[in-house]
Amino acid sequence: MTGERARRGLFGSGVLIGLMAEQVVMFSVPLLIFQHTRQVSSLGIAYAVEWLPCLLAYPFAGLLADRDGGPRLFSRANTARAVVIGFAVLICVLRPSWTVPTLMVTGGLLATLVAPIRMSIEKVVPQLAKGADLARTQSLVQNMELLAMALGPGIAMVAVLYLGKIWLLALACALFATAACCWLVLPREAAAPVPADSRRVRATVAELALGWRLLVHNKPVMLLVGLNFAINLVFSTVLAANAAVVTDVLKAPESQYAMLNMFVGIVGLLNLLLTPLLLRKFDVNFLGALGYAVLCGCLLVLGAASSFGVYAAAFVVAMSGVAYFNIFNRTQRVRVIPREHLGKVMGPFFLVGLLSYPIGGLLIGTVGAAYGPQRLIVVLAVLLSVYGAVFIPLTIRSFRTKEVSHVGPGAELAVSGGQ
């Protein structure tokens, strides 16, 4: 039991510290870019550049996670992130005029390395949690993301007073390296025998194609992909324009921009305490529908907000809605994908779901820059509400049908047959 508790502690520490480093980067980079350009369109373009290469990496990262088992891939990817951001700091210090292009390229490389990180976490969670513990562990991972949003910007807000924004990136470099160390001692799950030619191009393509087939033939997961795409499209527009809306449109100081994310993290702590109680009283389907409804309502408020206080409150509650939806999202998809193919399926799953991120960035860089980011958010929030009213019930019903029709072990349901 002590060994299991230690493994869970190292797993959680690695996830949390890595997410904190991401939050420090997400605090520093948009402010630096906007500070140098003073253009909303530059934020949208940077967001699109950041996410496009990341999308292409997801199927390959999923395949690597299946082959590796997760822990080693997580450590190597975080080490690579530390190296990338370390070089970025050197370039920005030695060549200040190169700051904006350097940060855009760095953002793309860091986002690409997010893919193996996320796939590693997807792979390791089912190894640590079985049965009823799965939803609780998935909620723990989800709420760690919110907790990191408190600790990361909190550290950044204090450190920026002494270090400056560029040197905050050096702090993120150290955090990434620490996260890599946390997973070095985690045991690797025994992998299935791998054919000798598995690393050849033809075999790799065949495995990638298998992941796409398993995804396409899995009706509830495909419906879930559509919901993820819709949510990410709207929320990516919010995140892409956040620095500009808070500091320019609403005239709030940079310290309040950091505090906005800190408040989200504090609510994450409350969710961490509240989620086990909610899971005892309600099933994950209810939490998913509730989170989606809360998100849509808050997005409408974000688009209409004329003061930082209203905007901040809506943003915090919206992120809580995302957290509750993602408990449903993370738990249900793992239950209907066989573990041996989890990475292969989740790679395409993330690619399609996150394709909306660069689209959202481009929308902010074009439509948002022309007509205002808040007007764009309102229009997308209305469309998201209509979409959810139709597809949330269909998705829940499809997952229930899949579980009822399955015969065999409860945690790994078959995905074949195009149900």
Side-chain angles (χ1 to χ4, degrees):
M1 183 62 71
T2 303
E4 181 180 347
R5 188 178 296 113
R7 287 194 294 271
R8 286 176 178 268
L10 288 170
F11 165 80
S13 298
V15 172
L16 178 60
I17 294 170
L19 289 170
M20 286 170 56
E22 290 179 16
Q23 288 298 319
V24 171
V25 173
M26 289 173 65
F27 170 82
S28 307
V29 170
L31 286 176
L32 282 165
I33 292 176
F34 191 65
Q35 178 181 315
H36 279 75
T37 64
R38 306 305 301 179
Q39 295 178 347
V40 175
S41 59
S42 64
L43 291 176
I45 293 170
Y47 205 77
V49 169
E50 176 181 338
W51 279 100
L52 280 172
C54 172
L55 297 176
L56 301 177
Y58 267 103
F60 297 96
L63 183 58
L64 287 173
D66 276 344
R67 291 177 175 177
D68 174 80
R72 183 173 60 182
L73 180 61
F74 179 92
S75 294
R76 288 181 174 180
N78 271 309
T79 300
R81 293 203 287 187
V83 171
V84 166
I85 205 165
F87 275 113
V89 171
L90 287 176
I91 293 172
C92 291
V93 170
L94 297 177
R95 293 287 186 271
S97 61
W98 295 4
T99 296
V100 172
T102 297
L103 292 178
M104 286 187 174
V105 173
T106 299
L109 292 173
L110 292 177
T112 301
L113 290 166
V114 166
I117 297 295
R118 298 294 186 267
M119 291 296 95
S120 298
I121 295 171
E122 287 287 332
K123 191 71 178 176
V124 171
V125 166
Q127 298 173 25
L128 296 177
K130 312 292 182 185
D133 287 336
L134 182 60
R136 286 191 288 270
T137 304
Q138 294 287 21
S139 70
L140 177 65
V141 174
Q142 177 62 38
N143 285 306
M144 277 183 177
E145 294 182 3
L146 294 175
L147 177 58
M149 294 186 73
L151 298 178
I155 292 172
M157 189 169 62
V158 174
V160 74
L161 299 175
Y162 304 98
L163 301 177
K165 298 185 188 73
I166 290 294
W167 292 108
L168 280 181
L169 299 180
L171 173 62
C173 175
L175 290 173
F176 282 133
T178 303
C181 293
C182 287
W183 278 39
L184 285 174
V185 297
L186 289 186
R188 295 175 58 196
E189 187 179 53
V194 180
D197 65 345
S198 64
R199 297 185 185 277
R200 296 178 184 174
V201 173
R202 183 178 298 177
T204 299
V205 170
E207 290 187 80
L208 293 173
L210 174 61
W212 281 102
R213 285 199 305 272
L214 292 172
L215 174 64
V216 171
H217 291 160
N218 193 320
K219 181 180 177 181
V221 178
M222 282 298 293
L223 289 169
L224 194 58
V225 167
L227 288 171
N228 279 334
F229 181 91
I231 291 172
N232 289 339
L233 178 62
V234 183
F235 222 77
S236 64
T237 62
V238 176
L239 295 177
N242 221 14
V245 171
V246 171
T247 61
D248 189 47
V249 177
L250 302 178
K251 306 301 181 183
E254 293 178 358
S255 60
Q256 291 192 10
Y257 173 66
M259 289 179 65
L260 177 62
N261 287 334
M262 286 181 62
F263 289 145
V264 172
I266 293 169
V267 173
L269 282 173
L270 298 177
N271 282 331
L272 191 63
L273 300 174
L274 185 61
T275 298
L277 176 62
L278 290 174
L279 287 171
R280 284 197 295 269
K281 292 184 175 295
F282 308 104
D283 67 9
V284 292
N285 294 319
F286 175 82
L287 288 181
L290 174 65
Y292 194 99
V294 169
L295 170 63
C296 291
C298 290
L299 287 170
L300 291 171
V301 176
L302 281 174
S306 58
S307 68
F308 175 76
V310 174
Y311 186 92
F315 186 82
V316 170
V317 180
M319 290 297 289
S320 296
V322 171
Y324 288 128
F325 175 82
N326 274 338
I327 294 172
F328 160 78
N329 177 20
R330 295 173 187 270
T331 301
Q332 295 296 68
R333 72 197 187 201
V334 170
R335 286 175 173 167
V336 296
I337 301 173
R339 184 186 299 176
E340 66 272 18
H341 299 304
L342 184 60
K344 297 182 191 70
V345 177
M346 289 309 301
F349 179 98
F350 272 89
L351 189 155
V352 177
L354 296 178
L355 181 62
S356 55
Y357 273 61
I359 295 174
L362 292 174
L363 283 174
I364 283 294
T366 54
V367 179
Y371 298 101
Q374 288 183 289
R375 291 181 181 177
L376 176 61
I377 291 169
V378 168
V379 173
L380 292 177
V382 171
L383 294 176
L384 182 67
S385 301
V386 174
Y387 185 87
V390 175
F391 285 97
I392 283 283
L394 287 177
T395 304
I396 292 174
R397 189 180 305 120
S398 184
F399 273 111
R400 285 174 175 166
T401 302
K402 187 80 169 180
E403 292 179 11
V404 169
S405 65
H406 174 71
V407 177
E412 288 82 40
L413 305 182
V415 296
S416 60
Q419 298 178 31

